[in-house]
């Protein structure tokens, strides 16, 4: 008889055991998400493909990525408080800390910092505003930290400054506390809607409930829940609190009369604390990981956009230098075969230079193969350049040879033919350069449409007349073709 246990007769898991198993799985999954975010962000920071010129002007974005990686390494959770002036943001954060750290009222002034054994306070300016953020760092379990961020009243800043405030904090925050002290105003609703679009967890805190009779408090709460924020938040995301409740106490005056004296009572924030702990316990590391990657993705998009804009600007200058190099070479050279060979050499050199700019290795043979493919696909411009080189080169050569016989009179016609031939060749190189730039910017790929569609689209966008006119103008200036001949 087998002594192996019958798995079918194993006792079912109790609810507690099932909850613990699910919690353990979530914890493991959260840890995996966190490690994956760290690896992805570190690879991004260490693998930034930027030249010294491209880094210039991108320092804030690069610093932002490095700060976000540091946040992951140090396990920092950001909790930011939003609200209008007088709603009790600072008082609420002080109540969460259990001591007065944040200044009550609006935060103004220049960057400053304070520190005690338990917490560190810093203040940082907001771009485009005289207001500032106040940040308190509190040590948590192990090496982890919680940073509470107090923001200026949303009615203190407007327009671009308010948008910058919401964007700056929403990008950093892992959890947002939006504080109101009664029925919502239009400004509060607009600000809450903007923050909701950032896809961050939000707790709507109805603060100062001690200032309302219970019936009024419940009525306001239901109105907020069922009408004001129904499309933005669930009922579970709304809590009531009293960060610094005023308690009336009867005191006897010197004249013997009894009067009410108000004093600050014990904060009523247990529901808020439980909600914050619930979110951090449930989503904790995954929340920080996802927010960090969202922030990094946004910054990376800006870095790539800036990098490509700088490279395109450099590429356009390289292309134009090649255009004028070819134009000058064609204009000055009277030999047909040399015209054709020099054109090909300049175009290959252009492709190789652009490939270096975009960081895509390419051999001379590879550049020549790409040139052939582009030339064949271009068709019309390449054919016109060949006709111009063959026909105009022959005419240019005859005019140059006849100069002694005509006493130099044929040189004027030579210059006109040379400029025309150089212009046609230059337009061709400009088109080749633009096609090459597009191909390399797309990681050396023609995309799903193929080379013909790419070339057709670029050729359709070129203003050949304008390009030709610019080439001729610069060429005449370089070679002094317009200077009058001196008479002896």
């Amino acid at each position: 008889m087998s002594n192996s246990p019958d798995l079918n007769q194993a006792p079912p898991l109790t609810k507690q055991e099932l909850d613990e198993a699910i919690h353990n799985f979530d914890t493991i999954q959260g840890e995996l998400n966190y490690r994956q975010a760290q690896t992805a962000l570190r690879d991004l920071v260490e693998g930034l493909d930027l030249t010294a010129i491209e880094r210039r002007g991108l320092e804030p974005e690069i610093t932002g990525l490095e700060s976000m990686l540091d946040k992951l390494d140090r396990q920092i959770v950001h909790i930011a408080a939003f609200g209008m002036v007088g709603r009790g943001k600072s008082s609420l954060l002080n109540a969460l800390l259990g001591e007065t750290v944040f200044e009550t009222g609006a935060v103004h002034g220049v960057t400053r910092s304070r520190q005690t054994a338990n917490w560190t306070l810093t203040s940082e300016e907001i771009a485009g505003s005289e207001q500032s953020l106040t940040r308190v760092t509190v040590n948590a379990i192990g090496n982890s930290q919680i940073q509470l961020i107090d923001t200026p009243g949303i009615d203190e800043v407007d327009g671009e400054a308010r948008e910058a405030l919401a964007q700056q904090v929403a990008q950093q925050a892992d959890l947002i506390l939006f504080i109101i002290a009664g029925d919502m105003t239009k400004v509060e609703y607009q600000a809450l809607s903007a923050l909701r679009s950032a896809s961050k967890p939000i707790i709507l805190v109805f603060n100062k409930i001690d200032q309302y009779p219970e019936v009024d408090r419940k009525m306001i709460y239901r109105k907020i829940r069922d009408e004001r924020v129904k499309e933005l938040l669930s009922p579970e995301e709304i809590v009531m609190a009293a960060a610094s409740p005023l308690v009336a106490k009867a005191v006897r005056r010197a004249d013997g009369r009894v009067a009410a004296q108000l004093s600050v009572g014990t904060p009523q924030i247990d529901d808020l604390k439980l909600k914050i702990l619930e979110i951090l316990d449930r989503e904790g590391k995954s929340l920080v990981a996802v927010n960090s990657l969202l922030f990094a993705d946004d910054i990376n998009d800006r870095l790539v956009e800036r990098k490509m804009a700088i490279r395109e600007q450099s590429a356009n200058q390289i292309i134009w230098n090649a255009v004028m190099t070819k134009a000058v070479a064609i204009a000055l050279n009277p030999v047909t075969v040399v015209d054709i060979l020099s054109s090909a050499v300049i175009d290959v050199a252009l492709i190789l230079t652009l490939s270096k700019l975009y960081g895509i290795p390419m051999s001379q043979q590879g550049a020549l193969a790409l040139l052939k493919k582009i030339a064949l696909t271009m068709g019309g411009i390449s054919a016109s350049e060949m006709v111009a080189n063959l026909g105009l080169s022959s005419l240019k050569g005859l005019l140059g040879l006849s100069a002694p016989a005509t006493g130099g009179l044929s040189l004027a016609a030579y210059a006109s033919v040379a400029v025309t031939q150089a212009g046609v060749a230059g337009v061709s190189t400009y088109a080749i350069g633009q096609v090459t730039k597009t191909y390399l910017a797309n990681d050396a790929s023609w995309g799903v449409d193929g080379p013909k569609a790419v070339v057709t689209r670029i050729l359709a966008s070129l203003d050949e007349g304008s390009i030709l006119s610019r080439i001729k103008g610069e060429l005449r200036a370089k070679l002094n073709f317009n200077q009058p001949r001196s008479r002896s």
Side-chain angles (χ1 to χ4, degrees), residues 5-18:
D6 187 351
L7 296 179
N8 292 325
Q9 295 181 0
L13 290 174
T14 65
K15 183 179 184 305
Q16 181 179 352
E17 290 172 330
L18 185 60

Side-chain angles (χ1 to χ4, degrees), residues 16 33 35 46 51 98 116 118 128 144 146 161 219 236 249 300 317-318 338 346 393 418 426 481:
Q16 181 179 352
N33 292 339
R35 298 305 173 197
E46 294 176 353
T51 64
T116 73
N118 300 319
S144 63
I146 293 176
M219 181 186 67
E236 290 73 26
K249 181 181 179 181
N300 188 54
Q317 186 59 54
I318 290 170
V338 176
I346 291 169
S393 284
F481 279 161

Side-chain angles (χ1 to χ4, degrees), residues 34 71 74-79 96-97 117-120 136-148 174 276-277 280-281 284-285 288:
Y34 199 85
K71 170 186 175 177
R74 294 164 56 197
Q75 302 180 40
I76 298 174
V77 178
H78 288 143
I79 301 176
L96 288 172
L97 284 168
N118 300 319
W119 47 262
T120 303
V136 165
T137 303
V138 183
N139 292 328
I141 300 172
N143 296 322
S144 63
Q145 295 179 337
I146 293 176
Q147 288 190 357
L148 302 176
D174 301 302
I276 291 174
L277 290 174
L280 295 182
D281 182 61
K285 287 194 168 182
V288 175

Side-chain angles (χ1 to χ4, degrees), residues 389-456:
N389 272 331
L390 292 174
L392 295 176
S393 284
S394 300
L395 178 57
K396 187 176 62 176
L398 289 174
L399 291 171
L401 292 173
S402 65
T406 61
L409 293 176
S410 63
L411 290 179
Y414 175 93
S416 177
V417 172
V419 169
T420 300
Q421 182 195 9
V424 173
V427 170
S428 175
T429 291
Y430 186 86
I432 289 170
Q434 292 298 326
V435 172
T436 303
K437 181 184 72 175
T438 303
Y439 170 78
L440 294 172
N442 196 39
D443 291 328
S445 169
W446 297 109
V448 294
D449 296 331
K452 187 173 182 58
V454 173
V455 172
T456 301

